[in-house]
Amino acid sequence: MKHLLEIRKIVLFLTALVVFGLWIFVGCTNDPFDPLSVENSAPVVQFYVTADSLNSTSYFQRTFYWSGTDEDGFVEEYFVSISTEEGVEAPWTATLNTDTTMTFATDFNGEAFAYFQLVCRDNRGALSDTVRQHIPLRNFPPIINFESDYDTLQWSYGSTNFRFFALDLDGNVTMDDSIVFWLDTADSTLASIDIDDPLADPSIRPVRKQIDNLEEGLFEIGLHGIPNPGQRTVTVSIGDEANAETRFYWSWEVLPAVGPVLLVDDFLGNTDVLTYHAHMDSIFGVEGWSLYDMAQGLPDRIWILTETFQQFEALFWYTGSSTSENIGPASGAIELYLHPEDGSDPGRLLVASKSIIGGSSSLPQGLIQDILGINRTPTQPAFFIPQDKTAFSLHPGLPDLVPTNNVSGGVGLAAMNGAEELYQMEYYQFWSPQRRPPYEPFVSVRIPHTNIDPVASAVTISLQLEYFEFQQVNDFIRGVFASELGVELP
């Protein structure tokens, strides 16, 4: 019995071993896996255009992008067809690139287009659906405007300038490298001529000028000796390679040069209208003189000031008690006006300024000493003048000057470099007793001395003339222009 039980165990073990062997045999002898037996998914292609810093629909140097994805593999190649002509089929090109940059030629309407067809192929040869995209493109005409630091012009005398920038949203390289400009008095139908041509006159015909800096689009226009006073308009034109044109217009008032003397109003406030302006009305007639109002500041270029001054025989520049912020920057124009380098007739200058020297005055030494003929160091600092103290004339033909109140002031002047004193204050202890004299400071100087030339180039007075007796000041202005500066008065 025990023997039969052992035989049964052996049989069961052998049976299990056979079954296990058969299982191993079946598992190891299956056919190898074939990837092609799994269905391949087609890849997907995408197309897009990214906006640049200007505009995404510009025709010039546009960059187009595409990409492909494959969920069960990878994209190996792209096929691209790009047509730029209506009705013309473009050939297909195989590429590994995922972008292209193109430029286009626009039609007469400034328009262009790109028609894209895109397909991608994956690593198993499957092709994507075809993406078709029509991209409309158009030209942007150039833009013209004033430079940011240019103060827009409202008025001028016969000369002025404009500073502009030109910008093309398609890229400045697509813009013309020159501009054309003309005044409203010109015949704009005439062909433009280069600005270097002796016949170039924007008041007669269009004038062409190169852009100073094409990359930045900067250019400047100078107008010299505009012959027609009144409201004038300048037109500035620029084009681009797509034949678009932009025109910029600006109008301003061109003032006529009236009378021999230009009054330069460098006075803060309007109280001077009843004094200095009234003196000019009295001497030259209400509409017989010209005004340059410094309330609007100096012109954009100093040469404009020189050419403005040269339209007059003389200048009358006054500042009252204020320190001028304009005489210093204008010193070069004043020097060229009084001592021209081209041999033209020299101008003449009368300056009335309590703060011409001393205090916070920082005028150039050459202007003070060489042009005005006074030492830059005051003989007496700024002082007030009592109502009963007179400024005595040292020249025949010039009146004594008596203040009308106790708020008038002055500063002591010392003549130098061949100059000569014209006025001296009546004795008074204008300054503290700790300071040494003079107590009779000179307050007016002319240059040169009458022994050198009877006609002066410049006369400076450091009194606030608005606080002196009106008729005496009127006679003083007449006398200085007629007797000292040689200006013929009406």
Side-chain angles (χ1 to χ4, degrees), residues 188-200:
S188 60
T189 64
L190 296 175
S192 62
I193 59 176
D194 289 333
I195 195 169
D196 296 330
D197 192 306
L199 298 178

Side-chain angles (χ1 to χ4, degrees), residues 87 89 98 108 121-122 148 197 202 208 226 262 307 355 362 369:
E89 189 75 17
T98 57
F108 289 108
R121 179 177 61 80
D122 70 10
S148 59
D197 192 306
R208 183 171 54 254
I226 300 170
L262 175 65
E307 293 189 7
S355 302
S362 58
Q369 297 186 169

Side-chain angles (χ1 to χ4, degrees), residues 380-444:
Q380 277 196 262
F383 55 85
F384 287 106
I385 303 171
Q387 190 171 349
D388 60 347
K389 297 301 176 182
T390 300
F392 292 112
S393 167
L394 304 181
H395 270 207
L398 295 180
D400 294 338
L401 299 174
V402 178
T404 57
N405 53 45
N406 292 321
V407 300
S408 176
V411 66
L413 305 179
M416 63 181 302
N417 295 335
E420 177 184 9
E421 295 86 356
L422 286 183
Y423 276 85
Q424 187 173 22
M425 289 304 304
E426 181 181 355
Y427 177 83
Y428 181 73
Q429 188 169 301
F430 290 103
W431 200 245
S432 68
Q434 284 75 29
R435 294 186 63 88
R436 64 182 184 177
Y439 298 131
E440 299 172 276
F442 296 105
V443 291
S444 182

Side-chain angles (χ1 to χ4, degrees), residues 64-144:
F64 306 94
Y65 303 86
W66 54 85
S67 65
T69 57
D70 187 27
E71 65 180 13
D72 56 0
F74 53 89
V75 173
E76 282 195 338
E77 192 174 27
Y78 297 93
F79 302 94
V80 183
S81 171
I82 308 173
S83 175
T84 59
E85 296 184 55
E86 196 73 45
V88 177
E89 189 75 17
W92 288 86
T93 301
T95 181
L96 299 179
N97 295 331
T98 57
D99 65 80
T100 184
T101 299
M102 305 175 63
T103 59
F104 300 83
T106 60
D107 60 19
F108 289 108
N109 296 319
E111 297 177 348
F113 76 91
Y115 181 64
F116 275 79
Q117 298 185 85
L118 284 166
V119 174
C120 68
R121 179 177 61 80
D122 70 10
N123 57 302
R124 292 175 62 186
L127 298 176
S128 68
D129 290 338
T130 302
V131 169
R132 295 179 175 84
Q133 182 69 52
H134 181 272
I135 307 295
L137 305 164
R138 66 185 180 93
N139 173 58
F140 290 91
I143 298 168
I144 300 177

Side-chain angles (χ1 to χ4, degrees), residues 438-454:
Y439 298 131
E440 299 172 276
F442 296 105
V443 291
S444 182
V445 170
R446 61 158 275 165
I447 186 174
H449 196 288
T450 49
N451 293 338
I452 300 174
D453 192 334

